[in-house]
Amino acid sequence: MRSKKFLKAEQAPLAWDVPGLLAGVDEAGRGPLAGPVVAAAVILDDLAPIKGLADSKQLTPARRERLYDEIRAKALCCSIAQASVQEIDQLNILQATMLAMQRAVQGLRLKPHKVLVDGNRLPAFDMLAEAIVSGDALVPAISAASILAKVTRDRLLVELHQQHPAYGFDRHKGYGTAQHMQALQAHGALDVHRRSFAPVARALATARQAESPAGEPLVPAAPQNP
């Protein structure tokens, strides 16, 4: 005959998936050379389903914008947060991403019982959490979070383009394209560039090497706002 102690231990793992609110979490902007990393957390409403949720990278910009508005209107709650370029350089991009995800979950109006995070790494949460590889294509709440994060970050980079049009942020969104690398070589790095990333560090080193003996840079400085 089984003891009560054994029965209790046997049933304990069942508490892992307790019923309650489920939040999906994803990020945008780990790979670019410039701009913050943005994370979003979303708790969807089962009574207000959203059609067409998918990995944000598989959607057209126009479709992402429409879904962004629908998610904001229909979700039980959502939160968008970021980690700055300075935090990325100080902590490294992985830890800064974890920080942005923590901030997004902490910003939810409702506290979820469990958090599902896209990928294979988990930030430290004070609730149950699970990492799901390709979760942005498998879990609707994570898909919704990926859309909010992507649209938010793209909008931030469009604003950066308006401030610094020579860099083409509206097109490459901070990624290390040929156009972006040419702009870095021609104009130098801005405050929004991640100096801990090798291409930016190389551009800064090249600019320093091009300085004249008198200390006057031969490489043009970053364009300033009027």
Side-chain angles (χ1 to χ4, degrees), residues 1-88:
M1 180 176 180
R2 295 180 179 181
S3 68
K4 292 182 178 179
K5 182 178 180 181
F6 182 80
L7 285 173
K8 182 177 181 181
E10 187 178 50
Q11 294 173 3
L14 298 178
W16 177 254
D17 280 320
V18 294
L21 297 177
L22 183 72
V25 177
D26 202 1
E27 53 75 27
R30 285 183 63 171
L33 307 180
V37 60
V38 176
V42 179
I43 300 177
L44 293 175
D45 185 351
D46 293 338
L47 300 180
I50 301 172
K51 294 182 180 180
L53 291 175
D55 175 4
S56 62
K57 297 184 292 293
Q58 304 303 317
L59 301 170
T60 65
R63 182 62 179 152
R64 285 197 297 264
E65 288 284 348
R66 289 193 294 270
L67 283 168
Y68 176 95
D69 292 336
E70 189 172 358
I71 294 164
R72 296 297 300 262
K74 290 184 176 180
L76 285 178
C77 63
C78 54
S79 171
I80 302 170
Q82 58 182 273
S84 69
V85 170
Q86 291 73 26
E87 288 171 324
I88 292 170

Side-chain angles (χ1 to χ4, degrees), residues 33 167 172 175-186:
L33 307 180
Y167 290 82
H172 55 66
Y175 283 89
T177 63
Q179 177 197 15
H180 193 181
M181 297 309 300
Q182 290 169 2
L184 270 173
Q185 293 296 329

Side-chain angles (χ1 to χ4, degrees), residues 99-121:
L99 178 61
M101 289 181 172
Q102 289 174 325
R103 288 169 172 167
V105 172
Q106 291 166 357
L108 289 169
R109 178 176 54 85
L110 303 173
K111 184 173 182 177
H113 285 71
K114 187 175 182 180
V115 175
L116 300 180
V117 178
D118 180 58
N120 60 1
R121 304 266 187 149

Side-chain angles (χ1 to χ4, degrees), residues 126-146:
D126 61 351
M127 69 279 291
L128 299 177
E130 181 179 355
I132 300 179
V133 175
S134 299
D136 50 4
L138 301 172
V139 180
I142 299 179
S143 299
S146 76

